[in-house]
Amino acid sequence: MLEERYAGFVNRSCPEPLFELEVDLVPPGRVAGGDDVRVRQESGRWSIERGDFRAEWEPALRRGWVRQSPNPHSIDSTLRIVHTLLLALEGGFLVHAASAVRDGRAVLFVGPSGAGKTTIARLAPENVTLLTDEISYVRLAKEYRAFGTPFTGELGRPGANSSAPIEALYVLEKDRGNRLEPMRVADGVRALLANILFFAQDPDLVTRVFQSACEFVARVPVYRLGFVPDATVWELIR
Amino acid sequence: MSSVYVAPSSEIAARRLGDEMVIMSVRDSTLFSLNEVATLIWQAADGSTPLHEIVQRTVCAAFDVDPSVALEDAERFVRELVRHGILSLSDRPITRVPATRPEGV
């Protein structure tokens, strides 16, 4: 199941993985109480749970486990949450955004469900490589880069396993015509933060995510993109 | 309210971006943004300078504005931020200013 779901992102050999997760498969049914995700840290060990799974992860040991039934959604969630924690520490983030690469530069289209992420991904011209139509992986080295993820939305197709420096962030809004306008920095931070995936109630990490969003908006141009669902919208994208 | 002292709460993260200050309450992740004038006051809110002096030194020095009107506006702005828990207000100097001021402030 994992090889099929994460096809294109599976490494046969990885001598020094970022972390290892042991999967403890149990019969279908509730594994933990509550339907909301809970992410807590105690003595350097993260505890992550939702009704359908329980997981623990210890960053210092680079090890953890997840207890779940054989279903893709629980492992998706665990992997995403662990990556949100890892990225928060290094200035990156996971964000509800489609992302794509054209001419070696990436663009992000951010927005909640229904904003048009999958639509804009479907409308992409042939010379555009799709990194994801649902959740973008953003890291900061010398510059911000977007990486492809296997996390897919309605498109149902994993992104390309590649990356590119980010050229611009577009905040999606369905509109009566195509319209592009620069956003004020505060509005850009607000739009970005509203779509960053982060679940831990940890003041230090929350502060880091805030600073990361501010840094991103300080470096990357942010635009409001109103659009109608046809291919002409891509003429506005740099 | 003129002889009051103000200082950023310890439960916020703040960052100056261009002319604006973006502030987040770490408690509930609520976001605020301050305009240029409010940013001047925020940056001078050190807990030891009375608000009326801050207004005089920053706002009145930078803009052609009636001092009493500027102070009234500042008091309204301060009350609003205090209500949201991102600014502390006292009738005495505030000594419990965060050990390290938030980045960019």
Side-chain angles (χ1 to χ4, degrees), chain A residues 184-187 189-191 193 201-204 206-207 210-215 217-218, chain B residues 12-15 17-18 20-27 29 31-34 102-104:
Chain A
R184 285 177 48 225
V185 287
D187 292 340
V189 171
R190 197 180 298 275
L193 275 173
Q201 300 293 316
D202 181 294
D204 177 51
V206 169
T207 300
F210 168 79
Q211 294 294 356
S212 298
C214 289
E215 185 64 26
V217 172
Chain B
I12 55 107
R15 174 77 177 256
L17 293 166
E20 293 179 73
M21 184 68 72
V22 185
I23 303 164
M24 187 185 69
S25 159
V26 175
R27 244 184 308 176
S29 298
L31 268 189
F32 305 87
S33 57
L34 307 185
E103 188 185 328

Side-chain angles (χ1 to χ4, degrees), chain B residues 19-71:
Chain B
D19 288 337
E20 293 179 73
M21 184 68 72
V22 185
I23 303 164
M24 187 185 69
S25 159
V26 175
R27 244 184 308 176
D28 58 9
S29 298
T30 314
L31 268 189
F32 305 87
S33 57
L34 307 185
N35 64 20
E36 195 180 349
V37 177
T39 297
L40 286 175
I41 297 171
W42 174 272
Q43 289 185 298
D46 57 4
S48 60
T49 310
L51 181 60
H52 65 89
E53 249 186 74
I54 290 175
V55 172
Q56 190 69 39
R57 280 189 206 167
T58 59
V59 183
C60 295
F63 301 94
D64 181 19
V65 60
D66 183 300
S68 60
V69 173
L71 183 57

Side-chain angles (χ1 to χ4, degrees), chain A residues 48-79:
Chain A
I48 306 164
E49 64 178 55
R50 192 172 63 188
D52 56 314
F53 71 89
R54 268 203 71 205
E56 283 192 357
W57 172 59
E58 206 158 344
L61 299 180
R62 296 183 175 191
R63 292 189 69 83
W65 55 263
V66 54
R67 184 171 300 129
Q68 63 161 89
S69 68
N71 80 85
H73 308 296
S74 304
I75 192 76
D76 268 8
S77 295
T78 304
L79 289 175

Side-chain angles (χ1 to χ4, degrees), chain B residues 54-88:
Chain B
I54 290 175
V55 172
Q56 190 69 39
R57 280 189 206 167
T58 59
V59 183
C60 295
F63 301 94
D64 181 19
V65 60
D66 183 300
S68 60
V69 173
L71 183 57
E72 271 177 37
D73 288 349
E75 287 173 347
R76 202 169 22 248
F77 151 73
V78 162
R79 273 196 296 269
E80 182 72 8
L81 295 195
V82 168
R83 194 167 65 79
H84 287 291
I86 63 173
L87 200 63
S88 301

Side-chain angles (χ1 to χ4, degrees), chain A residues 22-217:
Chain A
E22 195 172 305
V23 182
D24 178 17
L25 288 179
V26 295
R30 292 190 79 80
V31 175
D35 290 330
D36 294 331
V37 174
R38 287 198 296 171
V39 182
R40 289 166 297 175
Q41 184 190 197
E42 201 172 323
S43 308
R45 181 183 299 172
W46 286 94
S47 159
I48 306 164
E49 64 178 55
R50 192 172 63 188
D52 56 314
F53 71 89
R54 268 203 71 205
E56 283 192 357
W57 172 59
E58 206 158 344
L61 299 180
R62 296 183 175 191
R63 292 189 69 83
W65 55 263
V66 54
R67 184 171 300 129
Q68 63 161 89
S69 68
N71 80 85
H73 308 296
S74 304
I75 192 76
D76 268 8
S77 295
T78 304
L79 289 175
R80 287 178 194 170
I81 291 167
V82 171
H83 278 283
T84 63
L85 299 170
L86 281 167
L87 286 169
L89 293 169
E90 60 173 60
F93 45 82
L94 283 181
V95 57
H96 285 289
S99 45
V101 179
R102 182 160 63 178
D103 299 331
R105 309 288 294 181
V107 286
L108 262 64
F109 302 96
V110 73
S113 292
K117 297 190 294 292
T118 299
T119 305
I120 209 123
R122 277 203 186 103
L123 295 170
E126 278 184 6
N127 64 345
V128 167
T129 303
L130 193 64
L131 295 176
T132 172
D133 72 324
E134 179 71 6
I135 292 178
S136 294
Y137 197 104
V138 176
R139 298 184 82 173
L140 173 62
K142 283 181 186 165
E143 57 192 349
Y144 282 101
R145 291 184 79 87
F147 290 74
T149 73
F151 305 124
T152 177
E154 288 171 36
L155 200 61
R157 177 159 55 90
N161 186 1
S162 62
S163 74
I166 299 172
E167 176 93 1
L169 172 76
Y170 298 94
V171 179
L172 293 178
E173 268 178 26
K174 284 179 178 161
D175 208 334
R176 282 180 289 183
N178 293 333
R179 188 171 51 91
L180 185 67
E181 57 187 44
M183 285 182 85
R184 285 177 48 225
V185 287
D187 292 340
V189 171
R190 197 180 298 275
L192 180 56
L193 275 173
N195 287 288
I196 287 180
L197 278 74
F198 199 71
F199 307 94
Q201 300 293 316
D202 181 294
D204 177 51
L205 284 186
V206 169
T207 300
R208 282 173 184 255
V209 171
F210 168 79
Q211 294 294 356
S212 298
C214 289
E215 185 64 26
F216 183 93
V217 172

